[in-house]
Amino acid sequence: MAAGTSAGAPSTKKPKKSSGGNGGGNGAATDPQVRSRMQRLFGFEKEDLSSWHRFVCLLNRPTDPASLGIFRCLFGMLMAVDVTQERGLSHLDYKYLDGAPVCRFPLFNFLEPLPMDWMYLVYLVMFFGAVGIMLGCFYRLSCLMFISTYWYIFFLDKTAWNNHSYLYGLIGFQLTLMDANRYWSVDGLRNPRKRNAHVPLWNYTLLRTQIFIVYFLAGVKKLDADWVEGYSMKYLAHHWLFDPFKVILPVELVSLMVVHGGGLILDLTAGYLLFFDATRPVAFFFVSYFHCMNSQLFDIGMFAYTMLATSPLFCYADWPRRFFGHFPEFLWPVLPMVTPPPQPSASCLYPSPSSSSTERTDTQTVPKPSAHRFRHKMAAIFTIVYIAEQFFLPYSHFITKGYNNWTNGLYGYSWDMMVHSRSHQHVKITYKDGVTGEIGYLNPGVFTQSRRWKDHGDMLKQYATCLSRTLPHYNISEPQIYFDIWVSINDRFQQRIFDPRVDLVKADWSPFRTNPWLMPLLVDLSPWRKKFEEIEGTLDNQTEVVFIADFPGLHLENYVSEDLGNTSVQVLQGNVKVEIVDEKKNYTLTPGEKMQVQLPAGAYHKVYTVTDSPSCYMYIYVNTTEAALQKNFTKLLEIQEKVRNGTETEPLPPELQPLITGFDDEGSEVNATDPLVRLFLKRQKRMQEAKKRREASMLERFNRFVTKKYYMIRRGFLMTTIAMRNLVFGLPPLEQLRREVDYANMKAPETAVNQNEQLKDEMEHREL
């Protein structure tokens, strides 16, 4: 990978008046007419690996800076946009509001956020660093500004970790060490020695290998049985983007063959296909299609566009010269440089000129041979160590055992993207006053801004420690904290992930030891997933089912909502005892047996596992409130259609009069006196808006996208301006500050209307 065809072989295609190629200064030494097969395929000879001296020369071989310069510009631009979006500048005040009792989850417990106005300064430094990288202006300083603030924010909140955020930090770190400002940069305008100067080959080697690792290891991780069998992203095939495939395949095969099979094959092969000349056009098509789809399927910020920007790195390094060389010459002054060829650089090693090169000395200056320096050897050592570390780190979980849960390690550096999907059925936080013995319950997620803590033992320990410091302010002394969290991973049974009997305030945890209070994933029960599909296929549209597995000696305490009717328990494996708390009645159930009585709505019950092996059972229930609501909606829709068609002969009662104007009348849902009619009209209005958005033209969609981004970026920079003013001149009067924040919070009219509508009753009935 260090010097593939695209890495070092000189190109025979050059723009007019340009002799600069990917081979840079050693172009004369490797005549394309006589290159060996290995040289043509990989860009270097096997003799280049025969000794340390030759290997150092290879990695420091002069290479055209054009492709690296274009990537630097694109990466900096994308990171500048990312600061306002996924990094969170637009809503920074919600996350770091001074004085708010918030439990945070840093990688190192000593890390704490700065006061809010200073956090805005941190983000401003990161933004200017990204802009400096884009422009190639004060390049090293800009890189340091970006990565120092980026990694600080990254380590400050583990709940925001993901693979692509980790990748951004790695690329920023690599660019700091590279000479990426040698092409199309402000530094090149300021310093002629840097302008259009060669860069060593290891600059490309690191970036290409990093992207290869992202693709390849993501594919290796997808060899997991859950992915291969189609359970990881099971419901993704229902997205409209896969509608063309559903014309010829049923949705189940689209999920298995296109989503899972296609994703696996693409990740495993993309790095190789991008590397070789013959397969690169095919790779460009599929990789671009893949990332464009991902940009619509997932909320992943700039990741799809960043990966698109990395693809040209695998081309010949002089591709920008050849590409922009096709433009009219009068545009060349405002385009990236086409001519002259790259000039020598002290960062590279130049070989002694051969006899064949003397023929060209009249038209091209031959660089003087350069001796090995300490910097060249260190560059080679760093390249080897960094690549080895990047291959090792995703499999280093045997060292950091404390971060292992049902999946290994902290999510974010293992490249196991989208391999595991989770659903949470039941989360209970119990506290016990260590002095009085009083027992109480906390709302899940209280004092937090994230839900990621539910799946990670290290975060759960931090959360419990934070609660133990916070609850004494609410007259709870020496609190003990217990978590009962039920999770299903990749459509398995809902089961406990942590032992609910352990007080996590006093529980032992170390990053280097296995978590003793982690409950094992019941992988032996995975074959039941086929049975789940069969059971769900026998149910009507109104009946729902939840599959539960529990450990011996434990019990599930559950509450049946008043909205649910006809709720019962049926055992699939093992024996259970069901206790109805209020009635003080017990029912023992064996495999295949179903409760003959319904679980009472609005009351608690307990399900005990009474066998020596895990029990498996399922709740079967009907949301009677939702069913009744849907039935009433159907009747109201029929009445509305009759009124509009003129088939309704009898006058409507006053409470149904708003149905005549429906959602065409701006205030119809407000003026409706009947709660059901009001809810119906709101629902109809939302459905009409959703249909309008789906059927919008490309111009309307683009306008909506731009408007949304404008108000997001606008708020971020207005709030940053307020924070900088506060740091320099101090806080203004509260009334002035309120007006300034209100102005920053201004949104597009339709966005503001949608966000101000609090459809509480719809949320309760899960109607929409």
Side-chain angles (χ1 to χ4, degrees):
M1 198 75 187
T5 305
S6 59
S11 172
T12 58
K13 297 181 181 179
K14 299 174 184 177
K16 292 185 290 184
K17 300 183 183 180
S18 174
S19 59
N22 210 21
N26 67 339
T30 55
D31 186 351
Q33 301 289 335
V34 297
R35 286 189 298 160
S36 68
R37 178 179 177 83
M38 185 168 183
Q39 174 75 22
R40 292 195 305 271
L41 284 177
F42 297 101
F44 60 88
E45 300 287 357
K46 60 182 179 180
E47 288 78 10
D48 291 328
L49 306 178
S50 61
S51 68
W52 173 248
H53 176 85
R54 296 287 298 269
F55 183 69
V56 172
C57 289
L58 174 64
L59 288 182
N60 289 277
R61 186 168 70 186
T63 312
D64 198 305
S67 182
L68 183 62
I70 295 297
F71 173 73
R72 180 216 76 233
C73 182
L74 292 175
F75 178 77
M77 178 184 66
L78 292 170
M79 291 303 99
V81 177
D82 179 78
V83 169
T84 65
Q85 296 189 70
E86 196 170 4
R87 292 320 111 203
L89 178 62
S90 61
H91 55 272
L92 190 63
D93 51 320
Y94 297 110
K95 189 171 185 178
Y96 296 111
L97 183 63
D98 293 337
V102 177
C103 294
R104 305 192 185 278
F105 305 91
L107 178 62
F108 306 107
N109 288 329
F110 63 82
L111 280 177
E112 293 184 359
L114 300 173
M116 187 179 70
D117 289 339
W118 288 97
M119 288 301 297
Y120 273 106
L121 180 60
V122 169
Y123 272 72
L124 189 63
V125 171
M126 181 167 57
F127 175 79
F128 281 131
V131 172
I133 292 173
M134 177 183 70
L135 299 176
C137 182
F138 299 103
Y139 176 68
R140 302 288 183 203
L141 176 61
S142 295
C143 287
L144 290 173
M145 290 168 60
F146 176 74
I147 66 168
S148 60
T149 51
Y150 186 93
W151 283 106
Y152 166 67
I153 292 169
F154 185 80
F155 289 143
L156 199 58
D157 186 11
K158 289 183 293 188
T159 65
W161 282 23
N162 49 47
N163 288 279
H164 60 266
S165 296
Y166 171 62
L167 177 64
Y168 298 161
L170 293 179
I171 293 177
F173 169 69
Q174 293 177 37
L175 288 177
T176 305
L177 305 176
M178 296 177 181
D179 297 330
N181 60 337
R182 299 303 194 253
Y183 184 81
W184 207 31
S185 68
V186 174
D187 286 348
L189 297 177
R190 294 171 49 247
N191 187 346
R193 295 181 60 185
K194 293 182 179 179
R195 185 187 312 151
N196 196 31
H198 281 131
V199 297
L201 180 59
W202 67 264
N203 285 195
Y204 286 96
T205 301
L206 277 185
L207 286 171
R208 289 169 177 155
T209 307
Q210 185 69 73
I211 302 307
F212 173 84
I213 288 173
V214 172
Y215 282 120
F216 182 70
L217 291 190
V220 172
K221 299 286 184 172
K222 286 182 174 63
L223 293 172
D224 182 88
D226 284 356
W227 183 277
V228 173
E229 295 174 11
Y231 289 106
S232 297
M233 293 281 108
K234 185 176 179 181
Y235 300 104
L236 200 60
H238 295 279
H239 196 279
W240 63 268
L241 279 172
F242 295 97
D243 287 349
F245 299 102
K246 284 180 266 187
V247 174
I248 57 175
L249 294 173
V251 67
E252 293 80 8
L253 287 182
V254 171
S255 175
L256 182 63
M257 298 176 63
V258 179
V259 176
H260 292 89
L264 172 64
I265 294 172
L266 185 137
D267 279 336
L268 284 175
T269 60
Y272 295 104
L273 297 178
L274 285 168
F275 187 75
F276 295 105
D277 290 348
T279 56
R280 193 174 301 120
V282 177
F284 263 55
F285 172 79
F286 284 106
V287 165
S288 300
Y289 183 71
F290 174 74
H291 291 303
C292 288
M293 287 186 69
N294 283 345
S295 70
Q296 300 300 309
L297 288 170
F298 307 109
D299 185 15
I300 52 177
M302 295 292 105
F303 178 53
Y305 311 109
T306 302
M307 292 303 292
L308 287 172
T310 64
S311 295
L313 285 171
F314 290 85
C315 299
Y316 286 98
D318 68 335
W319 72 262
R321 301 180 190 275
R322 290 181 280 120
F323 176 76
F324 292 109
H326 293 296
F327 285 70
E329 291 192 26
F330 71 87
L331 292 177
W332 285 7
V334 296
L335 293 175
M337 187 176 294
V338 175
T339 58
Q343 64 173 323
S345 168
S347 300
C348 304
L349 285 175
Y350 295 89
S352 301
S354 61
S355 59
S356 61
S357 66
T358 58
E359 301 174 2
R360 302 193 305 168
T361 55
D362 56 334
T363 60
Q364 179 177 337
T365 302
V366 178
K368 295 181 180 179
S370 51
H372 283 211
R373 295 181 181 177
F374 179 73
R375 64 186 296 183
H376 300 133
K377 297 176 182 179
M378 286 303 299
I381 294 173
F382 172 76
T383 301
I384 296 172
V385 172
Y386 180 86
I387 292 174
E389 177 265 341
Q390 282 298 300
F391 273 105
F392 169 75
L393 195 59
Y395 297 96
S396 64
H397 308 305
F398 65 93
I399 298 175
T400 55
K401 297 178 182 179
Y403 294 107
N404 297 342
N405 299 287
W406 288 349
T407 57
N408 285 331
L410 282 166
Y411 182 75
Y413 64 90
S414 299
W415 312 120
D416 51 350
M417 293 174 276
M418 305 301 174
V419 177
H420 305 104
S421 60
R422 296 175 175 86
S423 64
H424 298 82
Q425 184 68 25
H426 180 80
V427 179
K428 183 173 71 173
I429 306 177
T430 306
Y431 69 82
K432 181 178 181 181
D433 191 305
V435 176
T436 66
E438 176 190 0
I439 294 177
Y441 303 94
L442 301 174
N443 288 330
V446 64
F447 303 122
T448 70
Q449 299 172 329
S450 172
R451 295 176 292 180
R452 289 279 289 273
W453 53 268
K454 292 184 287 189
D455 301 311
H456 300 271
D458 58 298
M459 297 186 198
L460 212 62
K461 174 65 177 178
Q462 289 176 307
Y463 189 23
T465 303
C466 176
L467 289 176
S468 70
R469 294 195 301 260
T470 304
L471 292 183
H473 298 294
Y474 298 87
N475 298 322
I476 302 172
S477 304
E478 301 177 15
Q480 302 170 16
I481 307 295
Y482 304 88
F483 292 90
D484 194 12
I485 302 172
W486 293 72
V487 188
S488 169
I489 185 169
N490 291 345
D491 277 357
R492 290 181 172 85
F493 281 101
Q494 290 279 343
Q495 65 156 96
R496 288 183 168 96
I497 185 171
F498 301 109
D499 194 331
R501 300 165 294 189
V502 177
D503 172 19
L504 291 197
V505 176
K506 299 178 181 178
D508 181 47
W509 182 85
S510 167
F512 307 110
R513 294 196 301 270
T514 302
N515 189 340
W517 30 274
L518 173 71
M519 306 294 280
L521 178 64
L522 298 173
V523 292
D524 293 341
L525 302 177
S526 298
W528 275 95
R529 289 180 290 191
K530 293 289 185 183
K531 185 67 174 177
F532 294 168
E533 297 174 1
E534 298 175 8
I535 294 174
E536 290 170 342
T538 63
L539 304 176
D540 58 46
N541 293 333
Q542 296 182 345
T543 304
E544 299 183 48
V545 62
V546 177
F547 300 98
I548 305 290
D550 203 3
F551 294 92
L554 296 178
H555 71 274
L556 168 63
E557 183 180 21
N558 207 355
Y559 176 82
V560 178
S561 171
E562 295 179 353
D563 292 332
L564 305 182
N566 196 24
T567 304
S568 62
V569 172
Q570 181 173 342
V571 178
L572 303 173
Q573 176 178 300
N575 297 335
V576 303
K577 182 180 70 174
V578 181
E579 176 188 353
I580 300 177
V581 178
D582 291 344
E583 299 179 5
K584 297 182 179 179
K585 292 183 179 179
N586 295 325
Y587 301 87
T588 300
L589 304 176
T590 58
E593 190 174 357
K594 181 179 179 180
M595 282 189 65
Q596 300 301 314
V597 297
Q598 297 181 13
L599 292 172
Y604 282 94
H605 67 274
K606 298 179 181 179
V607 183
Y608 295 85
T609 297
V610 295
T611 50
D612 295 333
S613 59
S615 65
C616 305
Y617 54 93
M618 60 181 178
Y619 282 97
I620 306 172
Y621 61 95
V622 176
N623 191 327
T624 52
T625 303
E626 183 177 349
L629 191 65
Q630 190 62 45
K631 185 177 180 180
N632 289 329
F633 279 175
T634 303
K635 290 181 180 179
L636 290 175
L637 183 61
E638 292 175 355
I639 294 173
Q640 189 180 56
E641 290 296 325
K642 287 181 179 180
V643 170
R644 294 185 174 181
N645 296 335
T647 57
E648 181 64 44
T649 56
E650 298 183 3
L652 294 180
E655 62 270 17
L656 298 183
Q657 287 294 324
L659 292 177
I660 299 176
T661 54
F663 45 74
D664 295 328
D665 183 358
E666 288 293 329
S668 59
E669 73 272 11
V670 178
N671 297 327
T673 57
D674 187 283
L676 182 62
V677 174
R678 186 185 305 116
L679 182 60
F680 171 76
L681 292 175
K682 286 184 178 180
R683 177 179 180 270
Q684 292 293 91
K685 184 176 181 179
R686 294 285 289 274
M687 291 175 64
Q688 185 192 46
E689 291 174 351
K691 181 180 179 182
K692 183 179 178 181
R693 291 171 71 90
R694 286 196 305 268
E695 297 175 353
S697 64
M698 290 298 296
L699 182 60
E700 291 173 328
R701 290 174 184 238
F702 179 74
N703 180 64
R704 189 167 62 231
F705 171 81
V706 171
T707 302
K708 178 182 177 182
K709 297 302 179 185
Y710 164 74
Y711 281 98
M712 178 187 296
I713 295 172
R714 173 185 180 275
R715 185 184 192 279
F717 283 106
L718 285 176
M719 293 298 294
T720 302
T721 303
I722 295 172
M724 295 305 100
R725 188 274 319 278
N726 295 343
L727 289 177
V728 176
F729 301 106
L731 285 172
L734 290 180
E735 182 61 26
Q736 176 185 341
L737 188 61
R738 185 190 64 79
R739 290 196 305 269
E740 292 172 347
V741 173
D742 287 344
Y743 179 71
N745 287 335
M746 187 174 65
K747 297 180 175 65
E750 63 179 56
T751 305
V753 170
N754 290 338
Q755 291 194 356
N756 288 333
E757 286 185 346
Q758 300 295 331
L759 302 182
K760 208 169 182 183
D761 39 5
E762 290 186 14
M763 294 289 290
E764 290 174 354
H765 299 303
R766 300 168 60 191
E767 174 56 27
L768 298 181

